[in-house]
Amino acid sequence: MNEIEEQRKYMQKVKELNNKNMKYTILTMGCQLNENDSEKLCGMLEEMGYERTENQKEADIALFNTCCVRENAEDRLFGKLGELKKLKEEKGIIIAIGGCMMQEKHITDKIKESYPFVDIIFGTHTLQRFPEDLYKVLTEKKKLEDILDIDGMVYEGLPIKRDSKIKASVTIMNGCNNFCSYCIVPYVRGRERSRQPRAIIEEVRELAKQGYKEITLLGQNVNSYLRVEREKQIPFEEYEGVHSFATLLQAINKIDGIERIRFVSPHPKDFTDDVIKQIANCDKVCKLVHLPLQSGNTKVLKEMNRKYTKEQYLNLVEKMKERIPNLTLSTDIIVGFPGETDEEFEDTLDVVEKVKFEQVYMFIYSRRVGTPGDKMENQVPDEIKHKRFNRLKELVESQIEENNQKYIGTIQKVLVEGESKNNKELLTGRTDSNKVVIFEGDKSLIGQMIDLKITSEHMWYLKGSIVENN
Ligand code: 5AD
Ligand code: SF4
């Protein structure tokens, strides 16, 4: 019996064991990969008869899917655990914590010492065993720790409960081999492993059948999809001509029903010409590319182990702009990496000035235990980090305002996602460049791609009106 079949048996056993009307809450931290993992955890829980609630007090299980990329997530987890202590004492709620943070020994040690009431601790490579872990805790009434240090396998066939009926994320690879010196991911997610082309294509086909319109391909380093397998001659089965990221885009572009394809995150060093060509050629691939910069200074980039220079990054952007009509770019930037001087930080501002990103995700450098960055002696004082962050933020916001103006009066193709969160009378959707647009319209438009004329801009969203010939 394979692992997933075995886990399905545990799902059934838990269902039989429990009363009806069991409920769970889930708190997901971090990136879209973690959100996709949470969708799998929700899928397993629902298969076991649990129903999701947002009300902690009525939950029988509280689940946390943690992230450890930056330290604020830790404060958040420990704060939440403090709150849950009372519920544990009052009604014996089961508390389970999984995800990247659980792959860090100093964190699991702290949980065991300071929050001994936590029932299950599981890691990134043991997510698929959650039904078995839960069954054991329910029947044996003891605490359980299920963490593996080795690189996990890629499991297929887990149930999944997706957050949206229109947009779906599909993980195409796990892990990272790059070891950027600030980043904890390679230590907690292990080495790169790609899913088989057939499994991905079949999942996307099934999503199209269910009516999904937008697919986001996920991985820590999507554009090196199948690279390790090719280089190390690890066998994989080519399917529909897919043997690389470029050919994967091509194959997914052919799937009827899917109207938009996005992907996060690629690494600039692996952005090969064949990928650029497919972004340009494939009509469904959005022309917004997320291209993490991290720093605009060559020396800092070297210290970060990013393997490109300021000039190489700018040249890549130029080449992409030439070859991909209507290209827009977004990026990630870290300020205050160890040793970064004021002058070096100016280079980051310079690149931001030049590229004019559609969106910039800005981060203050956060020391991560076990990474080379943490051991560097020339850490930048908090005050300077915050100053630089604010300068960058000012520049980015002024660029966003300027950029938003360009949308006014234009017609944009928008995928309608649902009611606007703040005003149920209005609908919300996104442009190809991932800008939120809010507009008046009939609910029957949800899930459709429509033309909107942009009428005004409001920093983080645009307003639009329906173009008559839709
Ligand atoms: N400190 C701050 N930001 C970080 N990131 C990754 N590690 C750190 C860290 N230690 C940012 C990078 C990455 C994004 C997902 O998180 O910009 O691209
Ligand atoms: Fe972290 Fe760098 Fe890998 Fe991204 S590419 S996950 S930043 S080590």
Side-chain angles (χ1 to χ4, degrees):
M1 189 164 32
N2 78 22
E3 169 98 45
I4 301 304
E5 281 169 32
E6 194 169 332
Q7 292 307 319
R8 284 200 179 266
K9 291 232 155 97
Y10 278 108
M11 290 181 216
Q12 194 54 35
K13 281 186 181 177
V14 172
K15 194 170 182 174
E16 284 160 12
L17 199 70
N18 275 337
N19 302 326
K20 289 217 158 44
N21 301 326
M22 300 296 275
K23 295 203 164 56
Y24 71 96
T25 54
I26 183 161
L27 176 69
T28 308
M29 299 162 180
C31 67
Q32 292 185 55
L33 275 149
N34 242 24
E35 281 169 18
N36 195 229
D37 279 352
S38 281
E39 290 181 331
K40 290 174 191 152
L41 286 163
C42 292
M44 291 189 263
L45 276 160
E46 307 232 340
E47 203 67 31
M48 292 187 271
Y50 288 87
E51 204 183 297
R52 185 164 176 173
T53 172
E54 300 306 321
N55 181 356
Q56 196 71 81
K57 291 206 174 98
E58 64 175 25
D60 303 282
I61 296 188
L63 191 61
F64 296 89
N65 189 9
T66 61
C67 164
C68 57
V69 166
R70 290 171 297 273
E71 76 190 318
N72 39 10
E74 284 157 29
D75 302 339
R76 207 164 147 217
L77 173 69
F78 294 131
K80 283 274 169 199
L81 285 179
E83 285 171 29
L84 276 178
K85 189 166 184 235
K86 226 172 118 221
L87 274 180
K88 179 80 192 169
E89 284 161 1
E90 282 169 8
K91 63 173 275 196
I93 183 173
I94 288 187
I95 302 173
I97 317 180
C100 297
M101 222 191 275
M102 299 307 108
Q103 297 292 137
E104 295 183 285
K105 192 172 175 306
H106 69 280
I107 298 280
T108 50
D109 285 348
K110 178 165 174 180
I111 291 176
K112 281 183 273 183
E113 199 184 302
S114 307
Y115 306 90
F117 52 87
V118 170
D119 297 281
I120 305 173
I121 297 177
F122 61 101
T124 50
H125 308 310
T126 46
L127 172 128
Q128 77 290 344
R129 276 210 301 256
F130 181 66
E132 180 177 347
D133 294 343
L134 180 59
Y135 179 75
K136 286 187 178 152
V137 165
L138 287 170
T139 51
E140 294 166 24
K141 308 266 181 260
K142 60 175 193 198
K143 311 283 173 221
L144 199 138
E145 187 176 338
D146 189 4
I147 296 168
L148 280 179
D149 270 341
I150 55 150
D151 297 337
M153 285 171 47
V154 179
Y155 288 101
E156 299 295 345
L158 280 178
I160 184 156
K161 172 93 179 14
R162 296 186 184 270
D163 288 342
S164 158
K165 298 217 168 326
I166 295 156
K167 306 197 290 184
S169 300
V170 174
T171 298
I172 63 166
M173 61 186 305
N174 286 314
C176 183
N177 288 0
N178 289 325
F179 291 91
C180 300
S181 57
Y182 50 81
C183 188
I184 190 79
V185 167
Y187 307 89
V188 295
R189 289 262 177 188
R191 296 294 70 71
E192 273 178 35
R193 308 168 292 286
S194 293
R195 278 178 78 192
Q196 290 292 329
R198 179 194 287 271
I200 299 172
I201 304 278
E202 284 177 354
E203 183 175 348
V204 178
R205 277 205 193 112
E206 180 55 33
L207 288 165
K209 228 197 258 167
Q210 291 169 16
Y212 283 88
K213 296 287 185 313
E214 182 176 307
I215 299 295
T216 302
L217 304 174
L218 298 179
Q220 253 86 30
N221 206 349
V222 279
N223 52 348
S224 58
Y225 174 66
L226 287 178
R227 190 193 54 191
V228 173
E229 285 76 2
R230 283 195 311 272
E231 280 174 7
K232 298 203 173 147
Q233 296 180 358
I234 299 170
F236 67 89
E237 187 200 348
E238 194 167 317
Y239 181 69
E240 309 254 310
V242 177
H243 53 79
S244 63
F245 185 59
T247 48
L248 180 67
L249 287 179
Q250 222 174 352
I252 294 182
N253 196 60
K254 289 189 195 135
I255 298 178
D256 284 342
I258 299 301
E259 299 198 33
R260 270 186 179 165
I261 303 163
R262 299 187 189 275
F263 55 88
V264 277
S265 284
H267 195 302
K269 80 173 166 57
D270 300 318
F271 224 105
T272 45
D273 287 356
D274 59 342
V275 173
I276 299 179
K277 187 168 158 198
Q278 290 315 325
I279 299 171
N281 287 355
C282 296
D283 57 327
K284 296 174 183 174
V285 174
C286 291
K287 306 311 174 210
L288 168 75
V289 175
H290 185 68
L291 197 63
L293 169 67
Q294 313 301 3
S295 163
N297 177 268
T298 298
K299 182 170 156 274
V300 176
L301 285 167
K302 188 157 187 355
E303 295 285 308
M304 284 179 162
N305 195 27
R306 291 291 290 174
K307 303 200 171 79
Y308 52 86
T309 62
K310 175 185 181 183
E311 286 67 33
Q312 282 168 333
Y313 186 92
L314 287 172
N315 289 342
L316 173 63
V317 167
E318 273 320 299
K319 181 159 80 176
M320 289 169 72
K321 282 185 175 169
E322 270 166 30
R323 298 186 189 176
I324 307 171
N326 300 320
L327 177 79
T328 54
L329 290 159
S330 60
T331 200
D332 290 344
I333 291 175
I334 300 175
V335 303
F337 182 76
E340 183 189 64
T341 64
D342 280 337
E343 247 181 3
E344 288 162 356
F345 171 64
E346 293 294 326
D347 271 333
T348 298
L349 297 177
D350 185 46
V351 174
V352 172
E353 290 264 14
K354 289 198 165 102
V355 177
K356 301 205 189 320
F357 294 102
E358 190 71 29
Q359 170 90 267
V360 180
Y361 300 91
M362 297 168 276
F363 306 105
I364 290 178
Y365 171 70
S366 166
R367 291 173 81 160
R368 304 288 70 206
V369 175
T371 61
D374 185 44
K375 294 183 197 88
M376 293 180 184
E377 278 171 10
N378 39 6
Q379 300 288 327
V380 175
D382 277 353
E383 202 188 302
I384 296 179
K385 284 191 207 166
H386 283 100
K387 261 198 194 138
R388 289 184 192 156
F389 183 86
N390 289 337
R391 270 196 72 198
L392 177 63
K393 187 161 167 265
E394 243 171 64
L395 172 63
V396 166
E397 287 182 358
S398 73
Q399 284 189 332
I400 288 179
E401 269 187 64
E402 199 180 307
N403 186 39
N404 281 352
Q405 292 294 337
K406 290 195 196 137
Y407 280 91
I408 295 180
T410 62
I411 310 274
Q412 297 286 328
K413 280 228 166 314
V414 167
L415 175 61
V416 186
E417 290 175 12
E419 294 169 354
S420 163
K421 271 204 191 92
N422 298 327
N423 182 349
K424 299 256 177 273
E425 300 297 300
L426 298 176
L427 295 177
T428 179
R430 280 174 194 262
T431 63
D432 179 282
S433 59
N434 214 24
K435 275 245 174 260
V436 174
V437 189
I438 301 204
F439 62 101
E440 259 179 55
D442 192 86
K443 306 238 179 317
S444 63
L445 293 173
I446 295 173
Q448 290 187 35
M449 192 84 99
I450 61 167
D451 282 341
L452 288 180
K453 183 164 185 175
I454 305 305
T455 51
S456 63
E457 61 90 13
H458 306 260
M459 197 71 183
W460 302 117
Y461 66 94
L462 305 170
K463 275 193 174 166
S465 60
I466 295 178
V467 174
E468 280 316 314
N469 63 357
N470 261 304

